[in-house]
Amino acid sequence: MVMSDIVRFFDRFTFILLLFIVALGAFLVFSASFSSGNNYLMKHLVKIIISLILFFIMLSFKTETAFRWSFLLYIFLVAVLIIQLFTGKIISGTKSWIKMGFLSIQVSEFIKIPVALLLAQFFSKVSVLGWGSFIKMTTFVLIPFVLIALQPDMGTAFILLSFILISVLLKRIKFSIIIFSLIVLIAGSFVMWNYMLKPYQKDRIISFVNPGKYSKSSGYQIIQSKIAFGSGGLSGKGYLKGSQSQYKFLPTRHTDFIASVLGEEFGYLGVSFLLLLFFIFFYRQFNLNVRSDEEFYFIFLFNGLILFQFLINILMITGLFPVLGIPLPFVSYGGSSMLAFFIGEGLIFKMKLNNFIQHE
Amino acid sequence: MYTEKRKISRDEESKIVFIVNIILIVIFVFLLFSFWNLQILKNEHYKFLSSRNIIKDIEIKAPRGFITDKNGVVLAENRLSFDLFVIRDYIADMDRTINEAVKLTGLNEETINNRIDKYRKFPGSYNIPLKRNLSFKNVIYIESRSDDFPEFRIEQEPARFYPFGKIASHIIGYLSEISQNEYMGLKEKGYKLGDMAGRSGIEKTYEKFLKGKHGVKTVIKDNLGQIHNIIDIEEPKIGDTVSLTIDIALQQYIEELYGDYNGAAGVVDLKTGGMLAMVSKPNFDPGFFSESFKKEEWNNLINDDSKPLNNRFIQGLYSPGSTFKIVMAIAGLSENIINTNSGVTCYGSAKVYDRVFHCWNRLGHGWMNLQEAIQNSCNIFFYQLGKKIDIDVIAKYGEYFGLKEKTLIDIPHEKTGILPTRKWKRKNYNQDWYPGETISVAIGGGMITVTPAQILAMISTVALRGKRPKFHLFKNNKRDKKILKEYTPEFYSVNIEKRIFENVIKGLFMGVNEEGTGRGARVEGLNVCGKTGTQLILSLENPNYKKLVKQRRFTPHSWFVSFAPRENPEYAVMVFVENGGDAGKIAAPMAGKIYRRIFGYE
């Protein structure tokens, strides 16, 4: 593929849309860290630039190569996750960080890519998900899920489960498997609740049901986030003028609760604008032609995961879903998530190019 | 070539894309609606919550009004003190906070828990006082750890200060923090939990003047309680200055006269009823109560054997002793039982109703008329009078002189003594009155008891020849140097002939100026009139009297009641010394010194 082709067929519209979302995010990260005196913006911009570089590297990558190496990459990252479990230092309550020079990297964010690649390949080989293939598929997801959950990072682990959810949409599945899965899900949550969840995680779920009861823990976060949103009104309190954000009532406002800053400072109009950007982005990323099944599945799996994470984050910060520490894709401060999503999108943009170029 | 790779049919693909598009639309429409609900429909609610988050009202405590003596000398003022508070909102771990509080305050866990609990109905942002008047060292220590313990806060607040320490403590009274129950009744009057209120003395009586009005500072605070902005400020208003009739220099002089004796003394301005001095010994440190939350320290003070909190002047109940002979004499004359020529020969003892009663002078006074009997405080004369007068008549005259009621001096918790009558004895003992008991009452013993204040009221009535002044300590209250209320003197009148008073007063004059029992109070050039009273604790008939009486607790109480000058009297002075011994040797000379001081005869 030559450079001129890339320039010609590159989906500039969606890319610019994405840049808009990222720019809005940087704008909000600045506001979120404004009063605390930490300059998160510079670090955030550095991460955006690295992400964009990786994005363009992906464009020059052969899609087939990515698929071919996906299994090895998967094994490698799983191995890193295992090593991390035994040797990792605990940073902010989890072992999910790896220090690499000046960058801290969350491996758990990157494993989304090989899992999506593997599943896409796998889906293109089977027509109907029977017991055998279902178990195989679930295993691909559950290995990293368990490893990440043990770190413990329930949020990131939980997002991986979206792959199983999406597979129901993409593949015909035996009815008995769905029934069985539901039973396992119910039994599993029972076991989790009683034996696996840490008290603070239970608190989060309880406080989701009854936020007033835990006004200092996660219930407090939900309440403060809703206050931030709700007090924003139609047009917001103005940039850098949100009292919830600037007087630090809003928790982890530069990461998980970044959209609350938007809601408070730019109001319903600001939030609607972001929703519109995301809607067009998702619409364009789902409505496209690709040349192969595996690319098709990859696009739906990976974009589906982004949509899922986007939805859970928005629901969480408006009190419609329990607090799970997950960032808003492309917007929140957080390098690993940004990097992983841009790498994945790089592959997807490349797949879009493939289609045009093959047509000629 | 690439199409061969595809196994999914076009139909299948469009079906998936279609479903995904529907899901997308559903999700985004749902989000738009739920944000509409949150941001537009419930906007007012959340706006309110958001402003409540950051906008906090902070109490600015009003300094209490000053208390001054008649010359404007400050008896109670305010000094800034560093007080330690805890704020519930910033407590992350209650156990950790309490452990730290124990270290910082020296209070025990239970006390701290109780204090925090007391404020449970207040907003979490309220400053709960833990300890007042921190040392500077403690202040620095706590401030240096404010990052670790954001829940502890040090504020400077006005604290009561009494420059004269223990002097006049019973007049000034003391403050202590209001309780939760009191708060319920007081919150409408602008009180907050943690506020101090007067508990006794002037601090209590004139609480409403002294209180002042708290101010409010409306501020913007962040989630750690850091103040970012002051939006509005309503300055506190200091309470009124309350001026007293007390002369603190005189008060201090009298208190020091007592040395290590206990007792009570009062000096009243007979033209107004205003008290120049009002002493009760032992005294106490009034500052103690506003600082301490420690139960043990309170108990120590309350259970002290010498009862320092007891204001003996208005609460101490004692036999009036020979001072009561004044009332007896006036009663006898008014009822025409005796006249100025009546006389009795004193042989040192007399048999009355088949019982031998002694005079204090075992050798006997010889023949005495009324005035001489007063001058020498002859018991025998009054025993004979007691034989001829009914107890109910005595009570009637006692009542005329204010011995049945409170003097209504303007500090709380005043008591009244017992002025016995037949009815009273029937009611309290279910017994008849025995005439022999009247004989004891006739010399101020037996069942009769009085407070030193009542005895001062009695002698004041004699001094003013039948006008009894209402005692008071309040002179006026001022706000911004303007007098708001000035005391107007009040007197009660007794309908007794002036001639009778003059007769008795002659005896009182002789008692001081003509080698009587009260000669120790004599002041050259000032016609002091007075009467001693030496009230035995032990009966003279006690076989070990001579030995036991040397012990302080068996030594008689000493009274001296007086006024001066004889004509147009200006001041009445009452001195009472617990276990002081012979009144002529202790109480009367003290009164003499007081007169010299007041009239400048030094």
Side-chain angles (χ1 to χ4, degrees), chain B residues 209-444:
Chain B
F209 295 151
L210 293 166
K211 172 79 182 106
K213 197 166 169 272
H214 291 328
V216 182
K217 191 159 62 171
T218 309
V219 299
I220 290 186
K221 274 188 174 183
D222 68 18
N223 73 325
L224 288 176
Q226 291 296 326
I227 296 174
H228 287 259
N229 225 336
I230 298 170
I231 307 174
D232 189 27
I233 190 160
E234 193 191 317
E235 295 288 352
K237 289 198 183 79
I238 187 171
D240 299 350
T241 296
V242 170
S243 298
L244 305 181
T245 56
I246 291 292
D247 177 347
I248 192 65
L250 179 67
Q251 173 84 21
Q252 186 162 11
Y253 177 75
I254 299 173
E255 292 201 22
E256 280 159 10
L257 278 184
Y258 269 85
D260 64 344
Y261 280 105
N262 294 338
V267 178
V268 62
D269 179 344
L270 291 170
K271 292 194 179 64
T272 62
M275 302 291 299
L276 249 71
M278 191 204 88
V279 171
S280 174
K281 289 279 282 190
N283 44 19
F284 60 90
D285 174 12
F288 166 79
F289 296 89
S290 19
E291 267 174 42
S292 180
F293 302 126
K294 283 193 187 166
K295 246 205 170 102
E296 314 90 70
E297 289 176 7
W298 275 78
N299 288 338
N300 286 347
L301 195 60
I302 289 162
N303 299 329
D304 189 324
D305 277 344
S306 66
K307 303 236 173 295
L309 291 184
N310 197 2
N311 183 350
R312 285 167 165 74
F313 184 73
I314 55 169
Q315 293 172 324
L317 297 180
Y318 306 95
S319 298
S322 300
T323 61
F324 192 65
K325 288 172 184 165
I326 300 170
V327 178
M328 288 301 295
I330 291 170
L333 289 171
S334 303
E335 296 288 318
N336 293 316
I337 295 168
I338 49 171
N339 60 48
T340 41
N341 302 318
S342 306
V344 166
T345 307
C346 170
Y347 298 106
S349 65
K351 209 168 180 189
V352 189
Y353 299 127
D354 296 331
R355 211 188 122 189
V356 177
F357 288 86
H358 289 281
C359 188
W360 64 271
N361 185 344
R362 294 293 181 109
L363 300 173
H365 288 107
W367 196 89
M368 315 235 93
N369 68 9
L370 173 75
Q371 281 142 5
E372 288 161 337
I374 293 173
Q375 176 191 11
N376 296 305
S377 199
C378 175
N379 288 356
I380 304 301
F381 184 94
F382 288 94
Y383 291 147
Q384 298 304 333
L385 176 55
K387 247 166 74 177
K388 295 179 213 153
I389 195 164
D390 189 80
I391 186 64
D392 287 351
V393 175
I394 296 175
K396 186 175 87 183
Y397 282 86
E399 218 176 314
Y400 287 161
F401 289 91
L403 298 183
K404 200 186 173 184
E405 47 197 288
K406 296 179 180 176
T407 63
L408 290 180
I409 190 166
D410 46 351
I411 49 177
H413 315 306
E414 184 175 0
K415 288 187 178 160
T416 56
I418 293 161
L419 197 53
T421 58
R422 288 173 200 285
K423 221 171 128 188
W424 173 85
K425 199 179 172 204
R426 171 62 57 197
K427 194 178 155 204
N428 288 278
Y429 292 86
N430 199 21
Q431 273 175 9
D432 285 332
W433 182 264
Y434 302 114
E437 293 174 305
T438 313
I439 306 304
S440 297
V441 171
I443 59 158

Side-chain angles (χ1 to χ4, degrees), chain B residues 407-569:
Chain B
T407 63
L408 290 180
I409 190 166
D410 46 351
I411 49 177
H413 315 306
E414 184 175 0
K415 288 187 178 160
T416 56
I418 293 161
L419 197 53
T421 58
R422 288 173 200 285
K423 221 171 128 188
W424 173 85
K425 199 179 172 204
R426 171 62 57 197
K427 194 178 155 204
N428 288 278
Y429 292 86
N430 199 21
Q431 273 175 9
D432 285 332
W433 182 264
Y434 302 114
E437 293 174 305
T438 313
I439 306 304
S440 297
V441 171
I443 59 158
M447 295 213 168
I448 185 170
T449 58
V450 293
T451 65
Q454 285 178 315
I455 280 297
L456 181 61
M458 182 273 290
I459 194 67
S460 302
T461 317
V462 175
L464 296 172
R465 278 80 168 164
K467 250 168 60 181
R468 177 153 58 88
K470 192 178 158 191
F471 293 163
H472 62 97
L473 291 156
F474 178 82
K475 192 173 150 204
N476 59 43
N477 65 318
K478 296 192 254 322
R479 193 176 301 166
D480 303 326
K481 307 215 162 150
K482 250 182 32 215
I483 292 178
L484 297 183
K485 200 179 138 195
E486 184 94 46
Y487 182 84
T488 38
E490 280 179 56
F491 294 89
Y492 308 96
S493 284
V494 183
N495 198 14
I496 293 172
E497 284 175 68
K498 195 161 178 278
R499 169 184 61 84
I500 292 172
F501 282 111
E502 295 302 344
N503 276 324
V504 173
I505 287 169
K506 190 178 172 205
L508 296 174
F509 177 78
M510 285 154 59
V512 175
N513 298 287
E514 296 174 12
E515 291 305 309
T517 51
R519 60 190 174 277
R522 182 175 147 81
V523 178
E524 197 59 51
L526 183 69
N527 294 331
V528 177
C529 304
K531 177 82 198 74
T532 54
T534 304
Q535 181 56 35
L536 302 184
I537 311 281
L538 286 176
S539 163
L540 279 173
E541 279 73 31
N542 189 308
N544 297 321
Y545 179 83
K546 285 222 161 95
K547 213 167 82 190
L548 289 173
V549 83
K550 289 186 180 119
Q551 292 182 29
R552 172 70 80 92
R553 65 196 166 110
F554 293 123
T555 310
H557 293 330
S558 312
W559 289 97
F560 189 74
V561 294
S562 62
F563 61 90
R566 181 175 176 179
E567 300 304 323
N568 298 317

Side-chain angles (χ1 to χ4, degrees), chain B residues 100-254:
Chain B
E100 184 71 8
V102 169
K103 271 189 252 163
L104 294 176
T105 60
L107 301 172
N108 63 25
E109 244 182 82
E110 194 197 343
T111 317
I112 291 169
N113 266 321
N114 287 344
R115 289 205 61 75
I116 295 175
D117 187 56
K118 182 174 169 185
Y119 293 82
R120 65 176 175 274
K121 285 188 181 143
F122 274 57
S125 59
Y126 195 80
N127 284 357
I128 301 173
L130 282 185
K131 190 179 167 75
R132 311 224 184 243
N133 216 351
L134 291 177
S135 72
F136 202 62
K137 209 178 91 191
N138 259 347
V139 171
I140 291 171
Y141 177 74
I142 295 163
E143 290 288 357
S144 71
R145 304 189 358 139
S146 62
D147 284 348
D148 285 346
F149 291 94
E151 64 268 39
F152 291 113
R153 188 110 349 146
I154 289 172
E155 304 277 352
Q156 275 195 307
E157 283 192 356
R160 204 58 159 164
F161 177 71
Y162 303 103
F164 285 87
K166 289 184 167 184
I167 302 298
S169 52
H170 288 284
I171 298 170
I172 297 166
Y174 60 89
L175 306 174
S176 73
E177 217 179 281
I178 59 172
S179 75
Q180 223 166 341
N181 284 339
E182 288 172 306
Y183 168 70
M184 290 302 147
L186 288 171
K187 61 179 171 191
E188 258 121 68
K189 292 180 186 159
Y191 283 82
K192 291 275 150 103
L193 263 186
D195 277 8
M196 297 285 179
R199 298 302 175 177
S200 75
I202 294 300
E203 292 276 32
K204 182 179 166 94
T205 307
Y206 299 105
E207 172 72 18
K208 60 178 190 296
F209 295 151
L210 293 166
K211 172 79 182 106
K213 197 166 169 272
H214 291 328
V216 182
K217 191 159 62 171
T218 309
V219 299
I220 290 186
K221 274 188 174 183
D222 68 18
N223 73 325
L224 288 176
Q226 291 296 326
I227 296 174
H228 287 259
N229 225 336
I230 298 170
I231 307 174
D232 189 27
I233 190 160
E234 193 191 317
E235 295 288 352
K237 289 198 183 79
I238 187 171
D240 299 350
T241 296
V242 170
S243 298
L244 305 181
T245 56
I246 291 292
D247 177 347
I248 192 65
L250 179 67
Q251 173 84 21
Q252 186 162 11
Y253 177 75
I254 299 173

Side-chain angles (χ1 to χ4, degrees), chain A residues 123-188:
Chain A
F123 286 170
S124 63
K125 284 176 197 145
V126 293
S127 48
V128 177
L129 286 180
W131 276 101
S133 44
F134 181 77
I135 288 168
K136 203 172 167 190
M137 175 203 85
T138 316
T139 311
F140 278 137
V141 178
L142 283 187
I143 290 172
F145 170 83
V146 170
L147 290 173
I148 296 167
L150 286 175
Q151 282 182 339
D153 183 356
M154 280 310 281
T156 313
F158 181 77
I159 293 303
L160 278 182
L161 293 184
S162 64
F163 285 138
I164 298 176
L165 202 69
I166 298 161
S167 66
V168 179
L169 192 80
L170 296 178
K171 281 287 166 189
R172 265 170 290 161
I173 298 180
K174 276 195 171 171
F175 191 66
S176 58
I177 294 179
I178 296 178
I179 297 295
F180 174 78
S181 306
L182 283 175
I183 293 169
V184 168
L185 198 69
I186 291 163

Side-chain angles (χ1 to χ4, degrees), chain A residues 202-248:
Chain A
K202 288 190 190 177
D203 278 1
R204 284 180 176 184
I205 294 168
I206 295 170
S207 67
F208 165 68
V209 181
N210 182 8
K213 200 180 160 198
Y214 287 85
S215 64
K216 274 282 128 182
S217 56
S218 53
Y220 171 83
Q221 299 183 333
I222 296 176
I223 288 170
Q224 295 304 340
S225 173
K226 283 173 86 170
I227 292 174
F229 258 110
S231 60
L234 182 67
S235 55
K237 297 175 184 168
Y239 190 53
L240 302 181
K241 284 180 188 153
S243 61
Q244 289 289 101
S245 322
Q246 303 308 327
Y247 297 124
K248 301 169 215 165

